[in-house]
Amino acid sequence: MKFAANLSMMFTEVAFPDRFQAAAEAGFSAVEYLFPYEWATELLASKLSDNNLQQVLFNMPPGDWDAGERGIASLPGREQEFQRGIEQAITYARTLDLTRLHCMAGLRDRSVDEKTQRATYVGNLRHAAGLCADNGIQLLIEPINPVDIPGYFLNDFGLSLDIISEVNAAGPDLLKLQFDIYHCQKIHGDVPGWLEQCRNQTAHLQIAGVPDRHEPDVGHLPLADIMATCEAIHPDLWIGCEYRPQAQTAAGLGWMKPYI
């Protein structure tokens, strides 16, 4: 199975630019992280090349993250800012040979009705997915549980499938699902069942232990069963290790050994 180190959460013992080397030394061949935009593309490209790493995922600009924004794709009135974010993300993606890009939905906007916010979201996704496809990039969305991000607009896997179907009415496979096993377990439970239900829409996987987002074998996640399902349904997809290590990152990587 193919695992990518999430450098926003893993190897935080060292500065971000040094995490690429740390991930490579730990045996990873790919990385993902939340946002690249504070770093020059040339620096990131060199870190990938120097350490023989593949970049498999990052997020579009999320709005004002420090002020609590978690994406702007569903927010009416922010369309022009969203457009600029698409262009910036595609610029980074092309330089870093990225083929999958995650678009955060944003929080529920109580100043408008839910129908209006959904229409804004679908319209922005359809536009962004088309631009991404023109550049060889697959656009992804991810449902996030309401404990980690209270009020997140896309907080249900069933809703995600509906949104994907609506966007893809404009063209097959414009939009795909980023299936985070941690979020699925916290929202719905029955991860194997949802993996099966979402099999045709899923293009990227992520994992962490439940409930505290540590190593996947820490907590009550039925890891062996879930890994068997992932291997059977999605043997070729990257699995992003989006968790917070309990201690030193390398010390907690033993959970991967049966699967690599």
Side-chain angles (χ1 to χ4, degrees):
M1 303 184 74
K2 303 190 303 183
F3 296 99
N6 187 296
L7 300 187
S8 296
M9 294 189 177
M10 303 175 75
F11 303 104
T12 57
E13 303 89 352
V14 297
F16 182 79
D18 298 325
R19 294 175 197 172
F20 294 82
Q21 180 177 345
E25 290 176 348
F28 287 97
S29 58
V31 296
E32 62 176 40
Y33 41 77
L34 291 180
F35 310 108
Y37 309 108
E38 67 177 290
W39 307 100
T41 55
E42 295 80 8
L43 172 65
L44 297 174
S46 69
K47 292 296 181 181
L48 293 169
S49 177
D50 292 348
N51 294 287
N52 197 28
L53 291 169
Q54 180 180 349
Q55 180 82 50
V56 297
L57 186 74
F58 57 72
N59 297 334
M60 284 180 55
D64 190 342
W65 184 268
D66 292 337
E69 291 189 328
R70 294 296 181 264
I72 60 173
S74 70
L75 303 184
R78 304 286 290 276
E79 289 86 354
Q80 289 187 349
E81 181 182 351
F82 181 76
Q83 173 65 37
R84 293 192 295 271
I86 299 169
E87 294 169 357
Q88 184 181 23
I90 288 175
T91 296
Y92 270 79
R94 292 181 65 179
T95 302
L96 302 178
D97 293 325
L98 185 79
T99 58
R100 292 194 169 96
L101 181 65
H102 173 225
C103 177
M104 297 191 74
L107 305 180
R108 175 74 177 95
D109 183 352
R110 300 295 176 182
S111 70
V112 299
D113 61 76
E114 191 167 348
K115 183 178 180 180
T116 298
Q117 187 166 0
R118 175 171 172 154
T120 300
Y121 188 36
V122 170
N124 278 332
L125 286 173
R126 189 172 287 150
H127 178 63
L131 289 175
C132 285
D134 290 343
N135 287 275
I137 301 164
Q138 180 82 69
L139 190 67
L140 310 178
I141 58 172
E142 174 194 30
I144 296 177
N145 77 79
V147 176
D148 284 52
I149 302 185
Y152 195 69
F153 184 75
L154 189 65
N155 59 8
D156 179 272
F157 277 70
L159 175 60
S160 298
L161 296 182
D162 290 344
I163 295 289
I164 289 170
S165 178
E166 190 170 350
V167 171
N168 287 345
D173 296 332
L174 281 173
L175 186 66
K176 287 286 192 177
L177 181 68
Q178 180 173 313
F179 192 113
D180 190 309
I181 290 163
Y182 165 81
H183 288 306
C184 185
Q185 181 70 13
K186 295 195 80 167
I187 295 170
H188 301 294
D190 186 24
V191 172
W194 279 100
L195 282 166
E196 176 62 38
Q197 185 172 338
C198 300
R199 70 153 62 208
N200 293 328
Q201 293 82 15
T202 300
H204 187 75
L205 298 166
Q206 291 178 319
I207 194 167
V210 180
D212 297 321
R213 209 167 191 169
H214 296 312
E215 285 83 353
D217 62 343
V218 177
H220 58 254
L221 189 71
L223 183 61
D225 292 343
I226 289 171
M227 286 292 98
T229 303
C230 288
E231 188 170 19
I233 296 177
H234 298 299
D236 298 324
L237 294 187
W238 288 101
I239 302 176
C241 301
E242 194 181 39
Y243 65 82
R244 302 182 185 92
Q246 286 187 304
Q248 295 286 308
T249 302
L253 293 176
W255 69 270
M256 285 197 305
K257 290 181 180 179
Y259 310 111
I260 56 177

